Amino acid sequence: MTYTTQMDAARKGIITKEMELVSKKENIDVEVLKNLIAEGKVIIPANKNHKSLNPEGVGEGLRTKINVNLGISKDCCDIEKELEKVKTAIDMKAEAIMDLSSYGKTEEFRKRLIEMSPAMIGTVPVYDAVGFYDKELKDITAEEFLKVVKKHAEDGVDFVTIHAGINRYTAEVFKRNKRLTNIVSRGGSLIYAWMELNDKENPFYEHFDELLDICEEYDVTLSLGDACRPGSINDATDASQIQELLILGELTLRAWERNVQVMIEGPGHMTINEIAANVMLEKKLCHGAPFYVLGPIVTDVAPGYDHITSAIGGALAASYGVDFLCYVTPAEHLRLPSLEDMKEGIIATRIAAHAGDLGKNIKGAKEWDDAMSKARQALDWEKMFELAIDPEKARRYRKESLPAHKDSCTMCGKMCSMRNMNKVMSGKNINMLREDD
């Protein structure tokens, strides 16, 4: 029996090789996984032309995945430097990489990225349109926008961010409800500007069926972008954001009718107390589709530390049911991230994802923490390094400050609680002021 997409296969009762691999990774029964894919609650972004892909599942009951944004810009257009970041991101176990290139040889970078990456690859085709056609935004036609999506699909992109929810009605809601930071989504602002300049409907909304044709042909997952995501805590959960979410829910059902896999992108900036409600709204209004969020960034006043503000929000969001976290680096709002910025962003986001998995009782999550606790109790430093989310940093910190007694550290020395409890509970004496017996 043939199938077009992972969702089509699941609905026909077919277990694909991608489902089998994800089932083993997640320790989930493959029949359960297949049913979740059929319902749209789990996706496996896996373009038929991405030959190096090691597939991952995203959605209900699975580990929270993380995405790393990379790509060249007009001010920073060194392809080799970006590919170095790609290699590092893969080594650091990022499950997804989004190519956000917006200038120059985007096709060369994208093709090399797809060829080398076992991680799933995402793009925002509208970023590429201006450079692809060497035309001003206003002069690009709806047909040309779709051709760029088709090109990315042919190249092997696993998911595409499409800002189809900011239609003319959503735009009117935005105009009537003033914001501090207007539209901060880069892709969303480009679509809004195109609509205003041409006095026309959003081409991706108007030609949504043609977009689904492309996604169905290559099994490209549709990541429905949040053009109206809040760019400040003041703008969170406002009329524009919720109106767009309503449209995204309707588009989700239309995509599922064509067996096209969907995830929903979410905010953005918001205070801690709004995160749970936002997750509930997305899951309700978008029918349980996987939720992919940037942050949320929980305060606006920490440039240079937004990997922390994002990790706080991301951990909470994941614990409430978010499925996919987009990393945020210390360079957010300031510059294109350096290699070191990227590393810090990945680690912060992986911590947030794992903390969220503990909160929603994902199978296997607590076992990792329990193993670390046992290693700490046993003062097994090598095992601690092996289990650490960042083994390199853990090893470096210990090496930089070695204790007099190898079964302790330079914080506590012979007052180490682990050391002393081990001795006392095994019937031994504790010597604080002299050498051990």
Side-chain angles (χ1 to χ4, degrees), residues 69-360:
N69 290 337
L70 296 170
I72 52 176
S73 69
K74 187 170 184 178
D75 292 311
C76 300
C77 53
D78 188 330
I79 288 178
E80 298 306 322
K81 188 173 288 187
E82 285 304 294
L83 288 173
E84 182 185 352
K85 291 182 192 175
V86 170
K87 292 172 186 174
T88 302
I90 292 168
D91 290 342
M92 294 180 74
K93 302 178 182 178
E95 289 93 1
I97 295 172
M98 283 200 79
D99 173 15
L100 304 188
S101 296
S102 59
Y103 175 80
K105 297 179 180 178
T106 59
E107 183 177 354
E108 178 188 342
F109 178 74
R110 182 171 61 252
K111 285 185 172 180
R112 291 176 66 181
L113 170 63
I114 292 165
E115 183 179 357
M116 70 187 286
S117 177
M120 52 185 158
I121 301 300
T123 60
V124 189
V126 72
Y127 292 175
D128 195 25
V130 174
F132 188 83
Y133 293 111
D134 194 23
K135 294 169 71 171
E136 288 298 333
L137 178 67
K138 178 180 183 295
D139 299 325
I140 299 172
T141 66
E143 182 183 16
E144 287 172 332
F145 277 124
L146 288 168
K147 281 184 178 178
V148 174
V149 178
K150 175 94 168 178
K151 175 59 179 164
H152 285 214
E154 289 173 347
D155 289 345
V157 167
D158 301 297
F159 63 97
V160 287
T161 292
I162 302 292
H163 299 90
I166 185 164
N167 60 9
R168 298 194 78 170
Y169 183 76
T170 305
E172 288 304 315
V173 172
F174 162 72
K175 291 174 189 177
R176 293 196 303 268
N177 295 270
K178 299 300 180 186
R179 288 177 144 193
L180 276 182
T181 48
N182 293 319
I183 293 175
V184 299
S185 161
R186 184 174 12 166
S189 67
L190 291 172
I191 292 296
Y192 177 82
W194 187 92
M195 291 164 61
E196 290 293 295
L197 292 168
N198 289 288
D199 192 26
K200 289 183 178 179
E201 181 58 276
N202 178 341
F204 293 118
Y205 180 79
E206 185 175 10
H207 301 281
F208 194 68
D209 286 331
E210 291 97 313
L211 177 65
L212 294 178
D213 289 340
I214 297 168
C215 293
E216 185 180 22
E217 182 179 356
Y218 296 92
D219 197 1
V220 174
T221 297
L222 198 52
S223 188
L224 290 173
D226 52 338
C228 294
R229 73 169 180 262
S232 61
I233 61 171
N234 180 79
D235 298 342
T237 326
D238 70 351
S240 300
Q241 181 192 333
I242 301 306
Q243 174 55 43
E244 182 179 33
L245 193 60
L246 289 167
I247 300 297
L248 297 186
E250 294 173 359
L251 294 177
T252 297
L253 293 179
R254 286 177 60 185
W256 286 349
E257 287 174 1
R258 296 283 300 278
N259 294 314
V260 170
Q261 300 186 100
V262 174
M263 61 181 161
I264 307 296
E265 298 188 14
H269 293 233
M270 65 178 51
T271 53
I272 283 174
N273 59 305
E274 293 188 52
I275 295 173
N278 270 263
V279 178
M280 183 190 71
L281 280 170
E282 184 278 338
K283 290 291 184 177
K284 186 73 173 177
L285 297 177
C286 297
H287 320 289
F291 198 13
Y292 171 31
V293 301
L294 179 71
I297 291 173
V298 296
T299 175
D300 299 333
V301 298
Y305 298 91
D306 276 325
H307 59 313
I308 297 173
T309 65
S310 173
I312 293 168
L316 284 169
S319 74
Y320 294 135
V322 158
D323 309 288
F324 196 14
L325 299 178
C326 186
Y327 93 147
V328 172
T329 76
E332 184 79 6
H333 304 111
L334 300 171
R335 68 176 188 197
L336 190 79
S338 67
L339 180 62
E340 288 306 311
D341 294 332
M342 184 195 75
K343 287 181 179 180
E344 288 192 56
I346 290 173
I347 293 297
T349 311
R350 286 193 63 207
I351 292 169
H354 180 62
D357 288 349
L358 290 169
K360 57 189 174 188

